[in-house]
Amino acid sequence: MKKTVAVLFGGQSSEHEVSCMSARTIVEALDKGKYNVILIGITKDGRWLYVDNVNRIVDKSWYKGSKSAVISPDAGMKSVLVFSNKEAEGSAAVSMIDVDVVFPALHGLYGEDGTVQGLLELAKIPYVGCGVLASAVSMDKLYTKILVDRLGIRQAKYVKVCREELSGEGVEQAVSRVEKSLSYPVFVKPSNAGSSRGVSKACDCAELIKALQLAAEHDRKILVEETIVGREMECAVLGGNEPRASEVGEILAAAEFYDYDAKYNSEESKTVIAPELPEGKAEEIRRAAEQIFAAVDGFGLARVDFFLEAGTNEVVFNEINTLPGFTSISMYPMLWEAQGVPKSELVDRLIAMAFERAM
């Protein structure tokens, strides 16, 4: 019998558009002979809408949908409730669709951070990807760093700044604290954000203040990190209790660093699968990716990002993404395709793992 998969996409984070692209890729990869697909789009202001066709994601008409949809937290139901719009359809009819598994194609806050995972745990519906703990910890760059410190894997030195400090004399004190610990240039990042949203580089005090203010628009916790000059590496992890790391991929960014525009809007950014690296470095990156995935209690999938520092060839951990991009140009599916795992098989494996964990 076919399984019913509910794909969640959109969301309230700054990665809303990327999520929509990921959902389209996932739906197109699902074997329609094995799965019935339900689409639930979440608007930027948090409304959940029933979407009856993947083409509505492409033409963006789903935002005008007349039916709302929610996943019931009632563990006895395991259902999606679809509500007809009373004004549009002349009734307040409610239909119930039984769901076997949820594929949350959500990136960033309110989707990749453990919030949706908590809802699905309450509902006792199997779901693709990491659980509540791994999702929450990995979404928060500060707490990821605290965990990785214990592994002995090198990462960039950093200073924490809070949004509340960025008013009055607090700004000067925050800048002073950064300047005492780090040398310019530095990178400034929201602790909870993805796709390089709110990330910028600061080369002096004025740029640092501007960068802190930008990051504060995305999160109350901000990381200021030393600049690591080197090659940007990414590694995909797949599995449960015995996760497996993929080959290594390299990012050749069109911009000074791999920001949002460089990732999704520039045709000049390139990705290289299995690049030529110094002896033993690919294996070191793969092993570190598996260690970090295990340390955060990862399950299902994640992409772990590193630098290979110029001059020293040291591997430096950057960040982990527990629901990495699944677009046609995203590194995660590309790395597995290069190892003979097409997207259709990849999504099939991820769904199978969701059922395994729920048993």
Side-chain angles (χ1 to χ4, degrees), residues 148-166:
V148 174
D149 273 339
R150 300 177 66 87
L151 298 177
I153 296 170
R154 185 184 161 193
Q155 52 189 335
K157 297 175 184 176
Y158 64 95
V159 174
K160 174 189 173 183
V161 177
C162 289
R163 181 192 290 150
E164 302 86 78
E165 299 179 69
L166 303 181

Side-chain angles (χ1 to χ4, degrees), residues 68-145:
S68 60
V70 296
I71 293 173
S72 170
D74 188 330
M77 296 177 70
K78 294 184 173 59
S79 299
V80 169
L81 304 179
V82 179
F83 298 84
S84 297
N85 183 300
K86 193 171 185 178
E87 293 182 5
E89 305 200 5
S91 69
V94 180
S95 58
M96 187 171 73
I97 305 173
D98 293 335
V99 174
D100 295 300
V101 63
V102 171
F103 201 129
L106 297 165
H107 311 307
L109 293 173
Y110 314 117
E112 191 175 354
D113 60 352
T115 49
V116 165
Q117 289 76 13
L119 167 63
L120 297 171
E121 292 282 353
L122 283 173
K124 296 194 181 303
I125 299 175
Y127 59 93
V128 168
C130 291
V132 175
L133 174 66
S135 300
V137 168
S138 300
M139 189 69 220
D140 193 310
K141 296 178 179 65
L142 174 64
Y143 286 97
T144 305
K145 281 184 169 291

Side-chain angles (χ1 to χ4, degrees), residues 10 14-23 105 107 195 197 260 264 325-327 330:
S14 55
E15 297 180 84
H16 178 96
E17 288 79 10
V18 181
S19 172
C20 293
M21 291 189 285
S22 291
H107 311 307
S195 286
R197 288 294 203 180
Y260 185 87
Y264 299 107
F326 231 99
T327 73
S330 294

Side-chain angles (χ1 to χ4, degrees), residues 198-213:
V199 177
S200 53
K201 186 177 182 179
C203 297
D204 56 35
C205 177
E207 289 185 356
L208 176 58
I209 293 172
K210 184 178 179 181
L212 288 169
Q213 292 170 340

Side-chain angles (χ1 to χ4, degrees), residues 165-179 205 209:
E165 299 179 69
L166 303 181
S167 60
E169 295 180 358
V171 178
E172 293 181 5
Q173 294 171 1
V175 168
S176 176
R177 196 167 74 251
V178 170
E179 292 179 334
C205 177
I209 293 172

Side-chain angles (χ1 to χ4, degrees), residues 21-22 54 90 96 104 188 215 242 252 268 270 274 276 284 289 300 324 351:
M21 291 189 285
S22 291
V54 72
M96 187 171 73
V188 182
E242 297 181 359
L252 303 176
E268 295 181 16
K270 307 291 183 185
E276 187 174 335
E284 184 180 346
I351 290 170

